[in-house]
Amino acid sequence: MFQPGRLTLGVFFPIEAFEGANPTMRNQVALAQRAEALGFAALWFRDVPLLDPHFGDIGQIYDPWVYLGYIAAQTRTIALVTGAIILPLRHPLHVAKAAASVDELSGRRLVLGVATGDRPVEFPAFGKKWDERGHLFRESLAFIRRAWAERFPEIDSPLGHLHGADLVPKPPAGWIPTLVTGHSQQPIEWIARHSDGWIMYPRAPQVQQRIVSEWRRATEEAAPGVFKPFAQSLYIDLAHDPDEPPRPIHLGYRLGRNVLIELLNTLREIGVNHVALNLKYGQRPAPEVLEEVGEYVLPHFRAQTAATESKSSG
């Protein structure tokens, strides 16, 4: 999914175009399997606990851990990414156990995207304070990391006191790749030190280039020589005309496939390593768009595998 100097593509659930907040969630397993067969690098799962009518967006409707297990059981190789689990609204031991369970049962395919949450109405419903979400995020991530890495850790945290008990299962390597979404109320230097990568929102390429450059500076200072990828989302409304120029839509563009290829090439050149496509605002059926992207766009943005490297070096 992530390699230096390369860009791969993923797709968000629900894999459909729809109006309003409620997707139909029809044929999602078949579409996920088709995305895997076409060569998409990742499937992305949202964490939206409650319907906030001001946002009008509930992701894939179902709880992300339940849906991850459901999709994991019906796919084989494609990465499974949370975009993103709202840490302040969940106990860190529940997150740590759920993530380790999905990772093991899926064959080590989980990438854990985490965030503070962006919907104030949810916080009082869970007995949490909106203005404490940044602190809760830091405490939760530290708790999760120790619960994964240590046997019978002694943890004293505002989120709980762990003594004389241990979390099972544990990731074999003692960790699961964890990416912070947005700033999550943290400075970029903290994110560079405490995450394995960064998920940002779409920006105009010239703006995104500055953000990527700042990320590379921060990660080189925090972990010299360690590759920490940069990912972003992108809503697309794929036009029938392959050369239709881009027109802005919410967090993305209406554009033709050739223009999409040009945009993705630009993002690759500025250092973006993965783009997660969201088809919600499309005017064409999602299966049709998935096939067109798979046939014409994906060949330009496949992950380099050991097999292809061997073949290319011939």
Side-chain angles (χ1 to χ4, degrees):
M1 179 179 174
F2 293 124
Q3 295 175 358
R6 301 187 69 86
L7 183 145
T8 60
L9 295 180
V11 61
F12 265 102
F13 285 109
I15 307 173
E16 64 176 286
F18 61 99
E19 296 181 359
N22 296 295
T24 68
M25 296 304 294
R26 296 192 189 106
N27 303 318
Q28 294 296 291
V29 169
L31 289 168
Q33 292 171 336
R34 186 59 184 151
E36 180 176 60
L38 287 167
F40 281 87
L43 297 168
W44 287 70
F45 301 74
R46 303 280 300 281
D47 182 11
V48 185
L50 302 173
L51 170 61
D52 180 349
H54 296 291
F55 273 77
D57 173 16
I58 51 176
Q60 74 278 335
I61 300 178
Y62 304 113
D63 177 85
W65 298 116
V66 174
Y67 205 61
L68 273 160
Y70 178 64
I71 296 297
Q74 299 176 85
T75 54
R76 298 180 60 193
T77 59
I78 194 167
L80 310 170
V81 191
T82 59
I85 298 298
I86 309 304
L87 291 188
L89 301 184
R90 296 175 178 268
H91 194 280
L93 283 175
H94 286 141
V95 174
K97 188 176 184 75
S101 300
V102 169
D103 191 52
E104 182 169 324
L105 293 169
S106 69
R108 316 289 174 226
R109 289 191 280 144
L110 181 67
V111 176
L112 182 66
V114 294
T116 52
D118 57 5
R119 307 182 187 209
V121 72
E122 292 176 337
F123 282 72
F126 286 90
K128 306 294 184 180
K129 294 182 179 179
W130 170 253
D131 58 2
E132 294 180 356
R133 67 195 186 281
H135 173 70
L136 293 172
F137 180 87
R138 291 192 301 273
E139 290 286 344
S140 183
L141 189 55
F143 201 127
I144 291 167
R145 284 280 177 85
R146 289 195 61 190
W148 280 339
E150 302 175 26
R151 292 188 69 252
F152 291 91
E154 301 285 322
I155 301 176
D156 289 300
S157 163
L159 304 178
H161 305 280
L162 180 59
H163 299 274
D166 199 14
L167 175 78
V168 290
K170 291 184 184 291
W175 68 291
I176 293 169
T178 303
L179 281 60
V180 170
T181 303
H183 282 91
S184 291
Q185 302 291 299
Q186 315 303 324
I188 191 172
E189 290 77 14
W190 186 96
I191 300 171
R193 285 195 306 272
H194 295 281
S195 78
D196 300 301
W198 201 16
I199 305 169
M200 274 299 286
Y201 306 101
R203 300 285 188 270
Q206 62 271 25
V207 176
Q208 200 75 304
Q209 183 173 21
R210 293 195 295 270
I211 297 171
V212 173
S213 296
E214 185 67 7
W215 173 244
R216 299 299 178 211
R217 177 202 61 77
T219 56
E220 185 59 27
E221 291 178 1
V226 176
F227 170 56
K228 295 196 175 190
F230 184 100
Q232 69 159 75
S233 59
L234 182 68
Y235 285 79
I236 63 166
D237 175 12
L238 197 68
H240 284 286
D241 178 359
D243 296 311
E244 182 168 322
R247 177 171 59 82
I249 61 173
H250 179 65
L251 297 176
Y253 302 95
R254 173 177 171 81
L255 74 183
R257 67 169 183 259
N258 291 335
V259 182
L260 176 60
I261 292 169
E262 292 175 5
L263 172 61
L264 293 172
N265 272 321
T266 298
L267 294 177
R268 176 172 56 188
E269 289 167 4
I270 68 175
V272 176
N273 302 113
H274 181 85
V275 173
L277 302 177
N278 195 317
L279 308 184
K280 171 176 168 52
Y281 299 116
Q283 298 179 32
R284 296 167 59 190
E288 185 178 305
V289 172
L290 201 67
E291 292 294 331
E292 184 168 334
V293 172
E295 181 177 356
Y296 295 100
V297 181
L298 269 178
H300 298 269
F301 305 101
R302 293 192 190 279
Q304 188 80 29
T305 65
T308 55
E309 286 172 355
S310 175
K311 183 178 179 180
S312 63
S313 61

